[in-house]
Amino acid sequence: MRPRFDADLIARYGGEGPRYTSYPTALQFDDAFDARAWKRALGESNRLPIPADLSIYVHVPFCFSPCFYCGCNRVITRSPFAGQEFLNDLEREIDLVAPNIDDDREVRQVHLGGGTPTFLQPMQIEQLIRMLKARFRFASDAEIGLEADPRSLEPEDLPQLRRIGFNRLSLGIQDLDPDVQRAVNRVHDLARIASIFGAARAVGIDSISVDLIYGLPLQTTEAFARTVEDILNELRPDRISLFNYAHMPHRFKAQQRIKGEDLPTPTVKLALFRNTLSRLLDAGYEFIGMDHFALPDDDLARAHRDGTMTRNFQGYSTHGGLDLLAFGPSAIGQVGDAFAQNHRGLPDWQADVRAGRLPIARGLVRTTDDRLRAEVISTIMCTGEVRYADFEQHYEFRFRRYFADALARLEPLVDDGLIEWVEDGFRATAAGLLFLRAVAMAFDAYLQPAGDSSGPRRFSRII
Ligand SMILES: C[S@@+](CC[C@H](N)C(=O)[O-])C[C@H]1O[C@@H](n2cnc3c(N)ncnc32)[C@H](O)[C@@H]1O
Ligand code: SF4
């Protein structure tokens, strides 16, 4: 179904909301959950009748210079030693975790994120993958992906990356307009990105994704339309993420360098979103959910169509049901019902791994209620549709009775045309597809009581 833009609904439902890369969200993590609890959870995950296969996330925290809009956990440095020192520490962390995981569990997915993984030299990235392969068994068709900043990836690096096993690439573009790029301290041109694309395609990288952001300083509808045209005509990436710029200068210091008067007005911002949405749909991209688009023959679009897509800490994914091991500062892992987050700060993370301690800062163990809500929320975020019977089969409960409060919270959304009741369930309308987070929020037991909007922003805006 093609999502429909409705300005009135955006005014009412486009406010803040969790991105639901997990439920409960990381805000609920508690520092009472410690390294011992994580170790116990890792051990228990081996003892299930069929232990889950594995996904691995590595957070490489470094960047060469700060992009002013950035809300990621990163450390700005030009030190030539930072990368190698990090790899040494990372090896210590992997050595603390790997003995807790049975050898026969296969790694089906690896993702290097950050910060900027391409801060590392290709040789160092190879070392990192070798470190993992020495301790975990990789499936022969494992999906291995890398987030890359076009300024720190050379087209000549692609053959080596492919040989190491990378078959997914995600490039941060954000905007191609020179004025916008200067205003956010991130200057790179299309020619360079096109040559990276060419090299990636030539070596057979299966899926290339790009990140764009709307709402950046000095963006205009005309100039952003040119960015979108260039990306469609010159690159035609398999996937596009169209992020809504989350301006939270109280949380991210670099954002204080963005002048408030340079930000597009809410009207312009909406137009940026509306125009890009319709252009991407017209160009043949499928709307996957939230801020994601994919070409119809991309794995993610296929998984979306056949209902197998899932949502995890990396966003939408084709791989469900995996246990997630996460390495590096701030990285979040999940095995079964346990979540654990590493220390956010590089020094704290380093201190723990050097002392031989798992660097866990906080986490939680989901209750049965959490798990049930997590499944409902993930189903909403991935399919926009809930059938009560699907849940009643797995949990002994009556959906309507158990979730009476949540369903009552959905009534205004039905009245406003975001969702509609269907036999034994509900589903998002074309207009509601853009507000899946607002629908999911009705099932979130941890949200502040309605009406309490005091305090600083905690979540990004839905639109
Ligand atoms: C870790 S970065 C990507 C990798 C690499 N460091 C780069 O910049 O190319 C992840 C993505 O988050 C998005 N992002 C970062 N800060 C954001 C913000 N404040 N609002 C919306 N999106 C943001 C950007 O699109 C960025 O490409
Ligand atoms: S957007 Fe990427 S390169 Fe820029 S500061 Fe953030 S993580 Fe680093």
Side-chain angles (χ1 to χ4, degrees):
M1 187 167 25
R2 187 179 161 113
R4 188 165 60 76
F5 179 93
D6 183 321
D8 284 346
L9 290 181
I10 290 174
R12 248 176 301 162
Y13 291 101
E16 290 174 45
R19 297 179 60 81
Y20 291 121
T21 51
S22 72
Y23 180 84
T25 68
L27 281 179
Q28 257 53 60
F29 293 0
D30 184 340
D31 55 15
F33 184 100
D34 57 10
R36 279 225 328 261
W38 185 234
K39 202 165 169 175
R40 197 164 47 240
L42 293 173
E44 283 167 8
S45 73
N46 295 314
R47 291 193 286 276
L48 293 179
I50 306 177
D53 281 338
L54 304 169
S55 173
I56 291 180
Y57 173 73
V58 180
H59 191 83
V60 182
F62 305 108
C63 302
F64 292 109
S65 70
C67 308
F68 294 157
Y69 57 79
C70 182
C72 305
N73 181 40
R74 80 277 192 280
V75 174
I76 308 299
T77 179
R78 292 205 152 260
S79 160
F81 309 110
Q84 198 53 51
E85 192 182 31
F86 173 73
L87 286 180
N88 296 343
D89 288 328
L90 192 68
E91 186 155 32
R92 294 188 175 100
E93 186 184 9
I94 298 171
D95 274 334
L96 289 166
V97 173
N100 296 288
I101 297 292
D102 283 353
D103 295 344
D104 54 351
R105 300 175 66 182
E106 276 197 324
V107 175
R108 309 204 71 85
Q109 189 179 40
V110 178
H111 187 79
L112 268 49
T116 305
T118 48
F119 177 91
L120 301 174
Q121 299 296 321
M123 253 174 48
Q124 295 176 319
I125 296 177
E126 179 156 11
Q127 187 189 343
L128 193 164
I129 296 294
R130 259 196 274 116
M131 260 154 49
L132 292 171
K133 285 192 168 165
R135 290 156 182 91
F136 298 103
R137 194 146 71 91
F138 275 48
S140 57
D141 60 349
E143 180 184 301
I144 308 185
L146 166 87
E147 284 173 20
D149 174 345
R151 296 169 301 173
S152 58
L153 177 62
E154 301 300 326
E156 303 81 75
D157 297 339
L158 266 304
Q160 184 176 1
L161 291 173
R162 181 73 194 96
R163 190 170 43 71
I164 304 167
F166 286 92
N167 46 28
R168 295 277 188 283
L169 179 67
S170 163
L171 276 182
I173 296 182
Q174 331 305 356
D175 193 310
L176 290 169
D177 183 81
D179 292 338
V180 176
Q181 290 191 348
R182 274 191 296 274
V184 298
N185 194 37
R186 183 188 173 100
V187 177
H188 47 56
D189 65 9
L190 178 62
R192 182 180 177 83
I193 298 168
S195 60
I196 295 172
F197 256 73
R201 292 235 159 89
V203 298
I205 301 268
D206 301 333
S207 179
I208 312 180
S209 152
V210 306
D211 295 345
L212 300 178
I213 305 183
Y214 70 95
L216 290 177
L218 303 184
Q219 273 180 342
T220 62
T221 48
E222 297 77 19
F224 197 63
R226 279 198 296 276
T227 288
V228 174
E229 284 313 308
D230 282 345
I231 283 169
L232 293 176
N233 298 330
E234 306 293 326
L235 310 174
R236 203 161 171 82
D238 304 277
R239 300 179 192 175
I240 297 178
S241 300
L242 175 66
F243 294 121
N244 178 354
Y245 171 46
H247 189 57
M248 299 194 251
H250 60 278
R251 277 184 59 188
F252 307 113
K253 231 175 110 209
Q255 295 185 351
Q256 292 170 7
R257 301 182 64 179
I258 291 180
K259 294 190 209 123
E261 68 264 27
D262 285 348
L263 289 173
T265 62
T267 317
V268 171
K269 201 170 170 186
L270 266 194
L272 290 166
F273 176 72
R274 183 191 55 221
N275 298 351
T276 312
L277 172 72
S278 73
R279 183 66 191 103
L280 294 182
L281 296 173
D282 289 347
Y285 283 82
E286 287 183 12
F287 179 70
I288 299 297
M290 275 186 59
D291 29 34
H292 280 64
F293 298 81
L295 287 174
D297 59 353
D298 186 79
D299 286 352
L300 195 63
R302 287 212 189 92
H304 180 235
R305 283 195 301 272
D306 67 22
T308 57
M309 190 175 82
T310 60
R311 194 153 171 80
N312 61 25
F313 289 105
Q314 279 125 55
Y316 288 112
S317 169
T318 49
H319 287 68
L322 301 179
D323 276 346
L324 171 64
L325 305 178
F327 303 99
S330 76
I332 302 178
Q334 176 182 15
V335 299
D337 282 320
F339 294 110
Q341 180 168 32
N342 283 351
H343 292 293
R344 286 183 63 81
L346 184 61
D348 291 340
W349 173 80
Q350 268 171 347
D352 266 10
V353 296
R354 288 180 188 178
R357 287 189 299 266
L358 286 171
I360 304 301
R362 59 188 75 82
L364 63 73
V365 179
R366 288 197 301 207
T367 62
T368 308
D369 176 74
D370 290 334
R371 192 182 331 134
L372 172 55
R373 288 175 191 272
E375 281 182 33
V376 175
I377 286 173
S378 172
T379 303
I380 293 170
M381 297 298 292
C382 293
T383 68
E385 182 167 354
V386 164
R387 299 280 167 167
Y388 306 148
D390 294 343
F391 295 90
E392 290 172 346
Q393 271 166 18
H394 294 103
Y395 294 85
E396 280 185 24
F397 81 131
R398 303 301 303 161
F399 195 105
R400 285 177 203 275
R401 192 172 321 144
Y402 192 87
F403 284 126
D405 287 358
L407 295 176
R409 279 193 287 272
L410 289 182
E411 284 293 355
L413 281 69
V414 175
D415 295 342
D416 288 335
L418 267 70
I419 53 172
E420 58 196 9
W421 302 120
V422 292
E423 201 199 332
D424 197 38
F426 59 87
R427 72 166 166 240
T429 61
L433 283 177
L434 297 176
F435 304 98
L436 296 178
R437 287 154 86 175
V439 180
M441 282 161 72
F443 291 87
D444 186 334
Y446 296 97
L447 285 179
Q448 305 180 52
D452 180 0
S453 56
S454 56
R457 280 178 65 183
R458 296 184 306 165
F459 302 117
S460 58
R461 284 185 61 86
I462 295 175
I463 290 179

